[in-house]
Structures are given as structure tokens and as C-alpha cells.
Amino acid sequence: MESISETTWDVLISGTGLQQSLLALALSRSGKKVLHVDRNGFYGGPEAAFSLQEVEEWARAVESDSSPSPLFSNISITSTHQPGQASRGTSTSDSSKLALSRAYCLSLSPQLIYSRSALLPILVSSKVFRQLEFQAVGSWWVYNQSQAVPAGAPSSTVDPNPNPGTTKETEECQVHEERSPKRRRGELKKVPNGREDIFADSTIDLRSKRSLMKFLRFVADYENQPDVWESRASSSFSDFLSDQFNLAPSLQTPLLALTMTPDAPVGTTTSSALPRIAKHLKSIGVFGPGFGAIISKWGGEAEISQVACRAGAVGGGVYMLGNSVELVNRKAVDEAYAAVVDGCEGLMEVQLASGDNVKTKWVVGTEHDLPTQNTASRFGVEFTSAKSISVISSPLPSLFPAIAEGAPPAAGAVVVFPPGSLHTETEEVPEGSVPPIYVIAHSSGTGECPDGQCVLYASVSAESGHGYTLLDKAIKGLLESIKSDPSPEVLYQIKYTQTSTSSSPDKVELDPQTSIPNSPKNVLLFPPPSLDLVFDDSILERVKTFWRMIIGRDEDEEGAGDFMAFGDREEFGTDLSDDE
């Protein structure tokens, strides 16, 4: 067998994030020789998932000079217990302690996948879905503070566990927060899931219900009604709802929550909000009654990436962890354009960290996976999100009520803290300028924590200082809104900031000419992962564009529709080694 230096590769791919992993799979199964490397000792790149020990090792590496990813910074970890004080599969009575490190699988970049996402047909046609397991995301909740009450007033909380006689409008959780001289009363209210929920909600008057239903009918077919919204495409979505549908701010809040946009209301345009809400509503019922979003078990996109790499190895791809691209030999490249080198026009010589020099026709990666002298950012202005991952001592069952008759159990839930909902009366908040805070709750059914516990993924578009303060308030408010004895607490928490060149996929221009400026035309650049909380279908278009470029097939050419469409072959049930 030839060594990697002796082999002429069709493509060298750097980084095992989801987009690189899908491309490697598509190319390997299209008969191309693929060398896939990653400077990290793990799969998934910035979308990786870790045990407790692994996440601490990752944090130390990021904060050191040998950082595996400049996308992350300002990491802090707090723990009230040492791992290993309970075992995997621990009972509820043991949930107040951390289990063994490997009982946890914490995802750096968790995202929801809608049932209408373009990713799912690709996972099916490529047969990758056979190695994956998905769970339903159930309820969306909105947190808000109602009236202030005098300090010392008696508390009265509503049991969040609904009984058969509980109506939709009382399906909420209330919490009192100690403040001086007054404390605020907060509540979690469930976002209506359709017409039945809307008309069963006694807190909405009949006129408002009709306005809301008018909007829902419109958004389901908005693409065929450009006269209603195109003139307001770049205007504030909130203004559009007020002017076009006469919806009060209180009715706009749950609609904004469904957009899952990290942007403040003033930055949420009509053209960006409508397709998001439409996708949410159209996804409900595709895989079962009452839900429209799913999450991949065992770490979300990290698991999808690793399964794609495993399938790519079966297709002939060669994988090397702990190895990176150090240099693309520009002199060799220049010579390659003037002549045919080793029978291959446009061949490049690439130096790896291992000391190997490899010959390849194409190089693909992100600007963080390739050497800086060969890359130049072309994906716009940088955005930053403050994030936290919290392991909770309770399963928080009230966040995961039954979805509908015949539906699977909910393993995920979304809690949205609208702009200003956590601010005190003394804080000045410019109207509409504060971003929302999102908390995505994962139950133990996701495989990310032991029974009797859950994981809360919180994020806000803000720098670490103020962002971390908001995240702490959100987690505190959420836990206090749950009536439980004993009260749930944070057992383990990691905070970090993540940077990308777009806060949401709506702001990334999909340019099919994706070669790096001032670099060889056969060096291709993926954007960094989006900070969006919903899977960005546009990355699949970029993966498909790269696939066509590398296999030399135009969009209208015969066989161009074979992207990620594979027949049955040998199963890939074993893990990859680090250097196979």
C-alpha cells in the first residue's frame, strides 16, 4: 500500500466539521481519493461533543497558545461536585451528584433540525441515517416578568406538572425573584402549537385570535403573496406585524420566539422572519403529530459528522486526527499551472504537521483549518455569542410535557427570554435593541446526561462579560420557575464565547465562486459554523457546489443529481481509528 506521501490525492480536506465531513463522504463515494485530516484529536471540530474530562481538556487547549480553534474564547468551568459520584444510568435519587465523566456528551454547537430541512433527505439517500437516532423537540416556552410585588409578600407558584384537568392557559410556571425594594414575578408560558391552542387560550381576546389566525394562514403561503410583504421585506418584522395584521406586542413575542433568530427585534427583518416561521409551521406533523423539530442523539451534529466520516472511510477515504495543513507550497503550485506534474494538471504540494508532504489536486477547509498565509476571510463581519452548558440535578419534567396523542416522548424543549425580560426596573433598555436569550433543554433521552438530570444550552448574542451575566440570570430564572422539591441546581457549567462571521445564515451570501482570494483556484473555503440555533440548509448548497467542482460536473450535466445518493454496501459499524 502506498504511503500518503506517495499517493496522488484528488482532494485534501482539513477539519472534520459537518460540512467537511459531508463533502468527504460525497467525494469518497464518487470514486475520488480523499485524505481527510484534523488538527484536533477528536471529530466534529467546532461542532464537537465531549465528556466532562474531554471538555476540560478542550478548554485548556483553547486557552493555551496551541488552541485548536480560534473560534472559541473566554472559557470558564464551575462544578459543585466531582465527576464519578454517581454512575451512568443513575436513579433520580442520585441525580444531585455528577456521574462518571463519560456519562455526559456535551455539544459545543447544538442546533435544532426541522423536519423540512434539506439535511434529512441527504442523510436518507446516503444511508447515513441508519447509524443515527433522532428525538423530538416538543414545546416552545416564553419567559416574561409580570407585575412587581412588594418584598415579603407571600409566594404562590403554579405546579408546572399539568394534570388531566389542566387547561392550556394554565400550563405555565411561575417564579418569584427576590429584588429590592420589590421582587419580580416571572412565568413560563407555552407557545401555542396551532389553531386549537390559540382558541383554547382564554388570555387572548377573540379579535386578537382572528388576527393571529390570519397571519398564520398568510405565512403558510407567504411566497405566493409578495404583494403583502415584499415592500416591507427590509423593515422590522415587529412593525410589519403591527401594521399589516394589527398584532399587539404581546402576540408578537411568541412569533418572534419561533424565528429562533439571535438578533434583536430591530435587526429581525420581515424577509428573514417569514421563512423561519413558515418552516417551523410546515415541519409540524411530518414525522409525527404535534412536533416539527428533531435533535440527533449523542451530541447532535457531532454525531452526524462522525457517522459521515465513518461512512467516508468505508468509501475509501483516509482519516488522520492530530494532523493539520501547515503549508501549501506556492512555488510548486505556480509550476503546476505551467505544466502537467505527475500526470495531473494543477497539482499542489501540501506540508502536514506530521512532516509528510502530499500531492493533491484540491484543498478544502475553513479559514481556521488552513494556514493563514493561504486564507483571507470573505464571509463578512464577525459576530459573537456568549454560551453556557449547564448540567442540572433535575430532569425538569415540566419542560417536556406530552406532545400529542401518538407522538414520541419529547427529548428537547426551547425556552425563549424575550428582550428585556430579565432586566430590573432600574436598568435602561433601548426598546428593541436587546437580543433574546435562548435556552435549549435536552433530557436524558438524548444520551447527553444520566437519568434524573438534564442539560441546558443557553446562548445570547453578546460579548462574554454582559453575555455571561444575562445567561446566569436566564438559568436562575428558569430553574426557579420549576416547582420541585428539592429545588433543581446547576451541578456543572461551562461558559464560552463563540465567534462566527455571521449571526444567522440569512446574512451569509452564498457565492458559488468560493476559492480563496489571492490563492490557487483549487483551494476552496467553507465558512465557519453559523451561530444560528437551527441547522443552516445553505451549507448543503455549498457542499454540493464543491462536490461538483471537484468531480468536474456541471449542474445540468448527466449525473449531477447523484449528490449523496448511494446504493447499499458494507455496513460501517465500527469506530474510526485516528490514523487509518
Side-chain angles (χ1 to χ4, degrees):
M1 180 179 178
E2 292 181 330
S3 68
I4 63 169
S5 297
E6 295 171 333
T7 302
T8 298
W9 302 94
D10 291 306
V11 58
L12 186 155
I13 299 176
S14 182
T16 55
L18 182 60
Q19 48 198 352
Q20 294 106 309
S21 299
L22 292 175
L23 178 63
L25 170 59
L27 290 170
S28 68
R29 295 295 296 271
S30 297
K32 297 299 181 181
K33 289 184 178 180
V34 178
L35 177 60
H36 198 171
V37 303
D38 195 316
R39 71 179 66 202
N40 303 302
F42 51 83
Y43 291 93
E47 295 145 328
F50 299 123
S51 67
L52 299 186
Q53 179 179 338
E54 290 167 342
V55 80
E56 292 179 7
E57 293 171 353
W58 168 81
R60 288 192 294 269
V62 169
E63 296 297 334
S64 72
D65 293 336
S66 59
S67 168
S69 174
L71 298 173
F72 300 94
S73 60
N74 302 312
I75 303 173
S76 67
I77 297 177
T78 57
S79 175
T80 59
H81 297 82
Q82 292 298 314
Q85 295 182 347
S87 60
R88 190 178 182 88
T90 181
S91 66
T92 304
S93 60
D94 295 325
S95 63
S96 62
K97 301 176 182 178
L98 284 176
L100 297 172
S101 170
R102 298 203 65 83
Y104 300 90
C105 187
L106 308 180
S107 175
L108 292 179
S109 302
Q111 290 185 316
L112 308 182
I113 303 172
Y114 276 118
S115 304
R116 295 289 187 185
S117 170
L119 175 64
L120 298 179
I122 284 176
L123 297 180
V124 172
S125 65
S126 64
K127 308 300 188 292
V128 169
F129 79 100
R130 295 176 179 174
Q131 304 294 319
L132 297 168
E133 185 176 342
F134 293 96
Q135 328 251 251
V137 178
S139 301
W140 260 247
W141 304 87
V142 173
Y143 177 94
N144 65 78
Q145 291 180 340
S146 56
Q147 76 276 13
V149 295
S155 298
S156 60
T157 56
V158 175
D159 189 338
N161 297 297
N163 56 51
T166 302
T167 61
K168 294 287 184 181
E169 61 267 23
T170 61
E171 199 168 314
E172 57 187 25
C173 314
Q174 292 183 339
V175 56
H176 291 174
E177 296 183 11
E178 294 296 337
R179 297 265 168 86
S180 179
K182 294 181 178 181
R183 67 171 185 262
R184 304 289 296 181
R185 175 180 296 167
E187 64 180 12
L188 289 178
K189 184 163 184 176
K190 191 176 179 183
V191 175
N193 204 26
R195 183 179 186 278
E196 180 182 348
D197 288 352
I198 291 172
F199 280 96
D201 193 337
S202 62
T203 65
I204 306 176
D205 63 69
L206 184 59
R207 185 175 181 179
S208 296
K209 289 177 180 179
R210 289 172 176 168
S211 297
L212 193 53
M213 288 305 304
K214 180 181 177 182
F215 170 77
L216 294 180
R217 286 192 295 270
F218 156 74
V219 77
D221 190 43
Y222 81 96
E223 292 172 305
N224 294 320
Q225 302 179 61
D227 55 310
V228 176
W229 65 275
E230 278 193 345
S231 63
R232 307 289 299 274
S234 59
S235 65
S236 162
F237 183 54
S238 295
D239 291 343
F240 173 73
L241 292 175
S242 298
D243 298 342
Q244 189 69 38
F245 295 94
N246 197 30
L247 289 173
S250 61
L251 295 178
Q252 296 176 19
T253 298
L255 296 177
L256 284 166
L258 295 182
T259 67
M260 295 294 287
T261 175
D263 299 325
V266 293
T268 302
T269 63
T270 302
S271 61
S272 67
L274 290 178
R276 288 167 172 264
I277 296 176
K279 193 167 193 176
H280 176 95
L281 296 174
K282 290 178 181 179
S283 293
I284 296 175
V286 172
F287 294 132
F291 72 97
I294 57 177
I295 46 181
S296 179
K297 193 172 181 178
W298 310 117
E301 290 179 20
E303 180 68 3
I304 300 176
S305 296
Q306 180 149 335
V307 169
C309 289
R310 192 179 304 144
V314 171
V318 174
Y319 289 77
M320 300 179 69
L321 295 183
N323 209 346
S324 61
V325 174
E326 294 297 304
L327 179 68
V328 176
N329 191 322
R330 299 294 297 275
K331 186 173 185 294
V333 170
D334 294 339
E335 292 173 352
Y337 284 128
V340 174
V341 180
D342 291 342
C344 176
E345 186 177 356
L347 200 67
M348 290 180 286
E349 185 176 85
V350 177
Q351 180 181 327
L352 300 180
S354 61
D356 295 295
N357 291 317
V358 301
K359 297 181 290 293
T360 181
K361 302 174 188 177
W362 296 86
V363 173
V364 182
T366 71
E367 59 187 344
H368 303 292
D369 295 309
L370 297 175
T372 55
Q373 64 265 37
N374 295 309
T375 63
S377 178
R378 60 176 303 172
F379 295 102
V381 180
E382 287 191 345
F383 292 85
T384 298
S385 283
K387 296 187 174 185
S388 70
I389 306 173
S390 304
V391 177
I392 307 301
S393 64
S394 164
L396 303 183
S398 60
L399 293 181
F400 309 96
I403 300 174
E405 184 178 354
V414 178
V415 181
V416 184
F417 292 77
S421 61
L422 293 170
H423 289 273
T424 63
E425 293 177 327
T426 59
E427 291 178 310
E428 294 185 4
V429 182
E431 186 176 356
S433 64
V434 179
I437 303 167
Y438 292 91
V439 179
I440 302 178
H442 286 195
S443 75
S444 60
T446 61
E448 297 174 12
C449 64
D451 294 341
Q453 298 178 3
C454 68
V455 181
L456 302 180
Y457 295 97
S459 65
V460 63
S461 290
E463 298 291 339
S464 56
H466 180 57
Y468 290 173
T469 299
L470 290 175
L471 295 180
D472 285 341
K473 286 183 177 181
I475 297 299
K476 182 175 184 289
L478 173 56
L479 295 184
E480 289 183 344
S481 72
I482 306 297
K483 183 178 179 181
S484 178
D485 187 20
S487 299
E489 62 175 332
V490 177
L491 300 177
Y492 188 94
Q493 185 178 74
I494 178 169
K495 298 175 186 171
Y496 54 95
T497 57
Q498 184 175 356
T499 301
S500 183
T501 49
S502 175
S503 62
S504 63
D506 315 307
K507 296 184 177 179
V508 174
E509 180 181 354
L510 184 59
D511 181 2
Q513 300 301 318
T514 45
S515 58
I516 303 169
N518 304 316
S519 292
K521 63 180 181 180
N522 45 356
V523 177
L524 303 178
L525 186 65
F526 276 120
S530 168
L531 298 180
D532 203 89
L533 301 173
V534 175
F535 177 77
D536 173 11
D537 282 352
S538 71
I539 77 164
L540 300 175
E541 288 303 313
R542 194 178 296 272
V543 170
K544 191 172 184 178
T545 297
F546 284 8
W547 174 76
R548 286 175 178 153
M549 293 172 69
I550 294 170
I551 67 172
R553 191 172 292 168
D554 293 331
E555 186 171 356
D556 56 355
E557 190 175 344
E558 183 179 355
D562 296 337
F563 174 67
M564 295 290 279
F566 310 141
D568 289 322
R569 63 188 300 171
E570 181 184 352
E571 291 294 328
F572 42 96
T574 57
D575 287 336
L576 294 169
S577 66
D578 292 352
D579 58 356
E580 56 179 299

